[in-house]
Amino acid sequence: MTEQQEPSTTTRYTPSEFEDSIYQIWQDSGLFTPPADGLRPTFTVMIPPPNVTGVLHMGHALNNTLQDVVIRHRRMTGYDALWVPGTDHAGIATQAVVEKKLYLEQDLKRSDMGRDAFVDEIWKWREHHGDVILNQLQKLGASCDWSRTKFTLDPGMSLAVRTAFVKMWEKKLVYRGSRLVNWDCNLETAVSDDEIEYVTRKGQIYTLRYPLADSDEYIDVATTRPETMLGDMGVAVHPDDKRYAHMVGKNIALPLTHRLIPIVADDSVVADYGTGAVKITPGHDPADYERGQRHNMQVMNILNGDGTMNEECGQFAGLPREKAREEIVAAFEKLELFVGVEDITHNVTISDRSKSVIEPLVSEQWFVRMSEMSQPAINAVNDGSLNFKPARWKNVYLDWLENVHDWCISRQLWWGHRIPVWYDEDNTPLASIEDVEIGSLHPETGKPIVRQDEDVLDTWASSWLWPFATLGWPDSETSQDLTRFYPTQFLSTGRDIIYLWVARMVMAGYAFLDEMPEADRCPFSTCYIHATVLDGQGRRMSKSAGNGIDPVEMINEYGADAVRYSLMILTREGQDVKLADNRFELGQRFCNKIFNVARYVMTHLKGDFTAPADSAFCFEDKWIKSRLAHLNVTISQALENYDFHDAAQALYRFTTDDFCDWYVELSKRRLWAIDDAEVTDEVLASAQAAKNTLGEVLSDLLKLLHPFTPFLTEKLWAELPQDFREDRGLLMGSEWPVADEAAQNVELEHQFDKLRDAVRAIRNVRALLEIPAGNMPEANVHCEEESDVELFNEQASLVSFAAHLESIDVKSIDAASPVATGTDVFSAGAIFLPMPIDADTSKLRSNLEKKLSKIKGGLIGLEKKLSNAKFVENADSEIVEGERQRMHELQIECKTVEANLQNL
RNA sequence: GGGCGUUUAGCUCAGUUGGCUAGAGCACCAGCUCGACAAGCUGGGGGUCACAGGUUCAAGCCCUGUAACGCCCA
């Protein structure tokens, strides 16, 4: 692509013909990898690693487009920009996918295969399918440094995970203990508090009668899970509850068991809810666990890992919990201890992953002490080291950190980082970065090591190290990347993982990078929370609902640039985006526009090019250069602030309105002039100036567009003649244009607006009077200000050309209105078009009448306002003066319109 | 129960520290095969800014309350 290429001859933008080859050219150019010399400041983005089992969905497409826009912009503005890609091993999800596949295809269960063979199968699966989503990111145009692609189970990541674990071990931040955890009976593993959700479901609440031992009295207790009564260790009532006061301290003979359990008084019981008495099942309910602790109750586990009743359950042992529920209710009925059942709706805790009902149960797990680690992460937001955009998400982040619970990090799975802990024969643990040989001696006890911990770590316990582990930490051999590219500047992610991932990464940065100065430890300075993509009806897109729009399909249909651009302009900060698939037409139309205008411009840039003298550049040349300079400032600011919608919108406005509809159309006036028989040097120079301006504006515009529509702009850049690009390199690697301050001319832009308004007014009257395009009358333009008379006289040919006129006759507004004309008023005066013979004036009349009533309405409002002493007194003098001016204008307009109406 | 967000044209959305007649795209209507583009060009119609109060000379914007929808936490 270093040689200039021939412009395309088709009039339709057909992205499928060039996107893949352009991506290949980028790949081969090495530009995805920042230069090794390290001379420029760095700008780093870490991709939120998608699950290795994942396929690209709209959320990914949106999020990764954002990141690519940021990275491409920074790459062009002089940074060594690095975007590190990778995938997450996603413990539970991946294990489940492969487990299912093996079962369906080979009728194999993992328990039959053994750990090593099963893990091998997952690795094989990853070799074949693990890059799907990364390839899809390439179709989207993601300019990641693929040479640095990481996987959260890579050996380097393993080293990082083990190092972090041992650091926590040494600081006593990690501990092993028996605690009530959220147990997923389907997956047979513990999950953390952050991996569960609550759903409202219909259920039943059962009331059971518990007889007191050695008494005729009883207590009724209500429960939604009758089967847990087998694990009851007591019954609690409120200390002030007179109904039960005499029973406190006595025992209950727990039915179906031979156990006696105490009645205790506890403040946590709500006396007027239900029967006012609650059963205490410390082994299977978080609140009861607390109550049990307060009353020194033992914890009894009645469940097996798969959700069946365990050997503590006597006749019920081995039954699935649902079946046990039925049988226990039946048994209570038989004993005449069943009081009743009612339908209720209540919140049920389910597992994020398997969607099965979570059973709280006590088991031996590894936990991370979070409270002290959370403090630096809290400080980071408060001292401004970390900014959220939109800012309100910092509250979600802070809420979680300020109320953080210890994190259960062990999982009873096989796919993941195995916990780097070994035990001697007395179960004394030893944490180690290096593998410990079985049979070697425990350094503290001197006893032989007999086994490694069977469990693996929660996936987030590797991904929280992502920002620095991807850069080589803690390996000193490879960690020059860490010094150069850490901390990163921008993290973009979804709101659902603010605490699962974002908060933990910040904690990890402060906790583990102790060799770095405090100020450099926060892993990113901006956390951008992107919009959620909803379907056309405003529902979340989901696989199960089948309402997802496949970005890859959209790319095939509309092109990656169209998909990218559409997503960017639809994404207002903090605002969810409703997406129907036809919304990509917006981007498609825009890309088509760029494609065609570039083709048009380039047909005029052929051959040798000599730059014209400054004097050859005319009014509209200066105008479009001024608009371009303003656009540059707007885009640059918007991108630095991550206001993607604003940037995309400014590009749209400039490209379609300013450039295509006005400048390019006006340029034809001068370009066609050289076809005339007698061509003066002046005409030639003017045409040359137009060509030069077209080329220069297009060149800069392609650059400004490039972060949003990289494929198309790169293709067009290759076709652009040498004179309009500084070197033969790729657009992707080119320098962002410098906003030309000298070219910015607000006054001139204001003048152009007046010309444009006049042209529009003329076109409007032409349409109302049905004057055909081929008919080129002479129009009168009457201006309110003398300076505008001058302006319109100077730019008469511009106005005539744009409005299809033979010529214009410019006068002061004080001049008498010409007779037999149709009029319209505009921002600087009025225009008059000669009435064609047999003209139907009805449309013009109704237009004028409507306008008149609007003007009169405006006048009444202004009169009222200006006669209000308080307004004149209080409002800024500029505002008051503006209103007076406006009033004056409206009065003139009123007069003009009335006069014309009378003449009709 | 607590927190956050949204409500502006038929649809999807902009609208800055309060200040000219509230904007865009799509859709709609009328006209146009004019030498980049019919995925186009030109012109046009269309809004009680959710509702009720309040502050102010002035409110889509600020304050209070209400309603509907959505998300998160417990």
Side-chain angles (χ1 to χ4, degrees):
Chain A
M1 175 135 350
T2 53
E3 292 304 313
Q4 184 190 327
Q5 299 193 348
E6 278 304 302
S8 172
T9 50
T10 59
T11 66
R12 281 212 171 194
Y13 154 68
T14 44
S16 55
E17 286 171 10
F18 57 84
E19 286 187 352
D20 287 348
S21 62
I22 287 194
Y23 200 87
Q24 193 55 49
I25 290 163
W26 287 333
Q27 279 271 47
D28 297 343
S29 74
L31 285 167
F32 289 165
T33 303
D37 58 24
L39 296 175
R40 287 155 294 270
T42 58
F43 193 97
T44 314
V45 175
M46 296 294 170
I47 206 168
N51 283 2
V52 69
T53 55
V55 290
L56 198 73
H57 57 59
M58 268 305 161
H60 293 127
L62 170 63
N63 192 21
N64 288 290
T65 300
L66 287 175
Q67 292 169 69
D68 196 48
V69 167
V70 168
I71 277 289
R72 284 181 187 271
H73 170 241
R74 295 292 175 164
R75 194 180 284 121
M76 290 173 79
T77 49
Y79 289 86
D80 280 351
L82 172 64
W83 186 12
V84 178
T87 47
D88 191 302
H89 67 277
I92 293 171
T94 312
Q95 177 162 325
V97 164
V98 177
E99 206 166 359
K100 192 171 169 190
K101 180 175 183 278
L102 288 172
Y103 186 72
L104 289 177
E105 290 175 6
Q106 300 175 50
D107 201 22
L108 281 172
K109 285 188 181 166
R110 78 178 153 113
S111 49
D112 303 333
M113 301 173 67
R115 183 169 191 145
D116 292 346
F118 180 71
V119 169
D120 279 351
E121 285 297 324
I122 304 184
W123 276 107
K124 274 189 216 159
W125 180 91
R126 189 194 95 91
E127 287 311 310
H128 286 103
H129 303 99
D131 290 337
V132 168
I133 195 161
L134 299 183
N135 294 331
Q136 290 175 320
L137 285 175
Q138 299 190 352
K139 290 223 49 134
L140 190 66
S143 60
C144 304
D145 181 359
W146 301 106
S147 72
R148 284 183 169 86
T149 305
K150 293 291 186 297
F151 178 54
T152 54
L153 272 186
D154 284 344
M157 286 295 292
S158 266
L159 179 65
V161 164
R162 287 185 173 199
T163 306
F165 189 94
V166 170
K167 270 181 188 267
M168 290 194 291
W169 173 265
E170 283 164 356
K171 291 180 188 164
K172 306 239 182 316
L173 289 170
V174 63
Y175 64 93
R176 182 174 167 80
S178 251
R179 294 283 183 286
L180 198 66
V181 296
N182 306 301
W183 190 264
D184 183 323
C185 299
N186 266 24
L187 301 165
E188 296 194 44
T189 178
V191 296
S192 75
D193 292 344
D194 305 300
E195 293 168 298
I196 57 175
E197 53 187 286
Y198 303 95
V199 291
T200 304
R201 281 189 186 163
K202 291 203 167 115
Q204 281 88 38
I205 186 157
Y206 305 82
T207 306
L208 307 178
R209 181 155 293 172
Y210 284 5
L212 269 64
D214 313 319
S215 160
D216 296 336
E217 287 192 291
Y218 54 81
I219 284 187
D220 289 346
V221 293
T223 178
T224 56
R225 296 183 298 160
E227 69 280 10
T228 61
M229 58 79 50
L230 295 171
D232 281 1
M233 304 308 289
V235 167
V237 297
H238 194 273
D240 300 334
D241 194 332
K242 294 194 177 84
R243 292 173 293 176
Y244 302 114
H246 65 286
M247 298 182 184
V248 173
K250 293 187 176 166
N251 283 326
I252 277 166
L254 190 64
L256 308 176
T257 71
H258 304 290
R259 292 192 290 119
L260 290 180
I261 59 173
I263 298 169
V264 299
D266 194 285
D267 286 335
S268 69
V269 179
V270 181
D272 49 14
Y273 182 78
T275 63
V278 296
K279 59 199 269 313
I280 303 175
T281 322
H284 298 283
D285 184 279
D288 289 1
Y289 184 82
E290 304 274 313
R291 291 185 181 120
Q293 298 270 299
R294 284 198 287 275
H295 299 284
N296 294 317
M297 289 169 184
Q298 290 201 315
V299 175
M300 184 173 164
N301 186 1
I302 58 162
L303 285 176
N304 294 314
D306 61 359
T308 57
M309 309 305 285
N310 71 10
E311 69 286 353
E312 299 279 0
C313 300
Q315 53 175 308
F316 304 102
L319 291 177
R321 55 201 156 141
E322 299 82 5
K323 185 77 182 153
R325 179 173 302 175
E326 290 169 21
E327 298 210 355
I328 283 170
V329 167
F332 266 77
E333 279 174 342
K334 217 170 189 176
L335 293 169
E336 296 185 350
L337 294 172
F338 183 72
V339 182
V341 57
E342 273 180 66
D343 288 337
I344 55 160
T345 49
H346 61 144
N347 281 343
V348 178
T349 313
I350 63 168
S351 165
D352 268 349
R353 279 286 155 212
S354 69
K355 305 296 175 194
S356 64
V357 174
I358 288 288
E359 290 296 334
L361 61 78
V362 169
S363 74
E364 186 97 353
Q365 303 287 345
W366 286 94
F367 296 87
V368 175
R369 263 183 245 285
M370 299 289 269
S371 52
E372 58 186 277
M373 286 167 94
S374 68
Q375 200 51 52
I378 291 169
N379 297 344
V381 160
N382 291 333
D383 70 16
S385 311
L386 171 60
N387 291 294
F388 279 87
K389 190 173 171 77
R392 64 186 138 90
W393 293 110
K394 87 173 183 191
N395 297 328
V396 175
Y397 169 93
L398 286 175
D399 275 358
W400 184 80
L401 282 169
E402 282 161 1
N403 303 297
V404 71
H405 300 120
D406 282 2
W407 173 19
C408 174
I409 53 167
S410 43
R411 296 288 180 276
Q412 288 65 54
L413 305 174
W414 287 348
W415 177 243
H417 293 283
R418 196 155 167 187
I419 291 177
V421 170
W422 286 259
Y423 300 91
D424 72 6
E425 54 191 22
D426 295 336
N427 261 342
T428 311
L430 168 66
S432 167
I433 294 173
E434 302 295 324
D435 275 350
V436 176
E437 234 174 278
I438 304 300
S440 65
L441 300 182
H442 193 298
E444 284 159 29
T445 64
K447 300 213 166 143
I449 294 292
V450 292
R451 64 185 177 93
Q452 182 179 3
D453 200 295
E454 292 293 322
D455 290 350
V456 301
L457 289 165
D458 180 5
T459 305
W460 300 107
S462 45
S463 36
W464 71 330
L465 311 175
W466 186 250
F468 43 91
T470 47
L471 294 172
W473 183 87
D475 185 349
S476 54
E477 293 289 305
T478 57
S479 64
Q480 63 269 27
D481 265 8
L482 188 67
T483 350
R484 188 167 164 214
F485 294 106
Y486 190 93
T488 75
Q489 280 68 40
F490 181 72
L491 178 88
S492 176
T493 190
R495 65 188 66 149
D496 47 333
I497 53 175
I498 288 175
Y499 39 83
L500 279 169
W501 191 47
V502 176
R504 285 184 180 137
M505 281 191 286
V506 180
M507 291 171 75
Y510 285 99
F512 302 129
L513 300 180
D514 31 22
E515 66 278 9
M516 278 196 188
E518 180 92 9
D520 294 343
R521 286 195 217 167
C522 187
F524 30 81
S525 42
T526 296
C527 177
Y528 182 93
I529 301 298
H530 66 72
T532 303
V533 183
L534 307 171
D535 74 0
Q537 276 85 54
R539 298 169 306 179
R540 259 195 138 86
M541 287 190 182
S542 76
K543 254 189 216 164
S544 51
N547 61 344
I549 297 172
D550 179 0
V552 176
E553 258 178 48
M554 294 300 112
I555 288 170
N556 291 335
E557 189 173 345
Y558 296 98
D561 289 326
V563 169
R564 290 168 62 109
Y565 184 80
S566 300
L567 287 172
M568 289 303 96
I569 202 159
L570 287 172
T571 305
R572 186 69 197 152
E573 178 190 319
Q575 177 77 43
D576 288 347
V577 42
K578 273 191 226 176
L579 199 68
D581 51 8
N582 66 0
R583 312 233 61 199
F584 294 109
E585 285 174 12
L586 169 71
Q588 185 190 34
R589 287 194 161 105
F590 184 55
C591 289
N592 192 51
K593 196 81 184 165
I594 298 165
F595 174 76
N596 276 302
V597 78
R599 274 179 50 247
Y600 165 76
V601 169
M602 285 191 282
T603 56
H604 290 287
L605 300 181
K606 285 179 179 150
D608 282 342
F609 209 88
T610 45
D614 283 354
S615 58
F617 290 92
C618 68
F619 185 77
E620 63 260 36
D621 296 333
K622 289 173 189 148
W623 171 75
I624 195 69
K625 285 295 189 72
S626 177
R627 298 295 300 150
L628 178 68
H630 279 130
L631 174 73
N632 189 324
V633 172
T634 305
I635 304 294
S636 301
Q637 270 175 9
L639 286 180
E640 270 158 40
N641 292 329
Y642 310 118
D643 291 326
F644 302 99
H645 162 91
D646 293 355
Q649 180 146 47
L651 284 165
Y652 191 96
R653 288 266 74 85
F654 178 85
T655 306
T656 59
D657 288 357
D658 294 336
F659 192 51
C660 292
D661 291 351
W662 288 94
Y663 186 77
V664 167
E665 289 307 320
L666 289 175
S667 74
K668 291 173 180 172
R669 176 172 61 117
R670 292 187 286 159
L671 296 177
W672 294 348
I674 54 176
D675 297 339
D676 291 349
E678 293 170 33
V679 180
T680 63
D681 286 351
E682 202 182 336
V683 169
L684 275 175
S686 180
Q688 199 67 359
K691 290 180 181 184
N692 187 284
T693 309
L694 282 169
E696 284 184 1
V697 173
L698 178 64
S699 172
D700 277 7
L701 182 59
L702 289 178
K703 289 183 174 189
L704 297 175
L705 284 165
H706 182 258
F708 294 85
T709 56
F711 292 102
L712 175 60
T713 49
E714 188 72 80
K715 175 191 159 58
L716 295 171
W717 182 255
E719 296 168 3
L720 196 63
Q722 211 66 57
D723 303 279
F724 298 100
R725 41 184 187 131
E726 61 272 15
D727 56 46
R728 290 167 173 246
L730 294 171
L731 178 59
M732 180 191 171
S734 74
E735 275 181 38
W736 193 252
V738 179
D740 183 355
E741 278 183 45
Q744 295 182 42
N745 187 336
V746 178
E747 178 54 31
L748 189 142
E749 287 188 28
H750 188 53
Q751 289 178 330
F752 190 91
D753 289 343
K754 291 179 186 172
L755 299 176
R756 180 154 59 177
D757 285 345
V759 169
R760 284 186 177 139
I762 294 165
R763 285 173 177 168
N764 185 21
V765 174
R766 284 189 76 112
L768 292 168
L769 293 176
E770 294 175 347
I771 300 172
N775 189 344
M776 295 178 67
E778 176 176 294
N780 290 279
V781 178
H782 291 190
C783 298
E784 287 166 34
E785 291 184 25
E786 211 43 50
S787 60
D788 289 336
V789 173
E790 206 175 307
L791 170 70
F792 275 83
N793 270 322
E794 276 168 17
Q795 304 307 330
S797 76
L798 184 156
V799 174
S800 300
F801 181 80
H804 278 261
L805 301 173
E806 176 62 33
S807 62
I808 58 172
D809 184 7
V810 190
K811 292 198 175 78
S812 160
I813 198 84
D814 305 327
S817 297
V819 290
T821 54
T823 195
D824 194 9
V825 288
F826 74 105
S827 57
I831 61 92
F832 303 87
L833 275 181
M835 197 77 70
I837 303 156
D838 306 330
D840 175 5
T841 58
S842 60
K843 282 192 211 162
L844 182 70
R845 179 182 292 277
S846 69
N847 176 265
L848 288 173
E849 279 166 353
K850 200 168 166 187
K851 194 151 260 178
L852 189 62
S853 81
K854 238 181 184 175
I855 292 170
K856 285 185 168 165
L859 276 172
I860 292 168
L862 279 171
E863 269 163 27
K864 209 168 152 191
K865 208 170 185 181
L866 285 165
S867 60
N868 181 346
K870 282 185 177 171
F871 169 70
V872 180
E873 217 169 282
N874 291 325
D876 289 348
S877 57
E878 285 171 32
I879 301 285
V880 178
E881 194 40 50
E883 297 292 57
R884 289 209 173 106
Q885 182 62 32
R886 178 83 198 124
M887 175 118 170
H888 176 67
E889 284 165 16
L890 280 181
Q891 281 165 344
I892 294 171
E893 286 183 12
C894 187
K895 232 169 78 185
T896 311
V897 171
E898 271 177 340
N900 202 255
L901 264 174
Q902 276 182 359
N903 287 338
L904 283 181

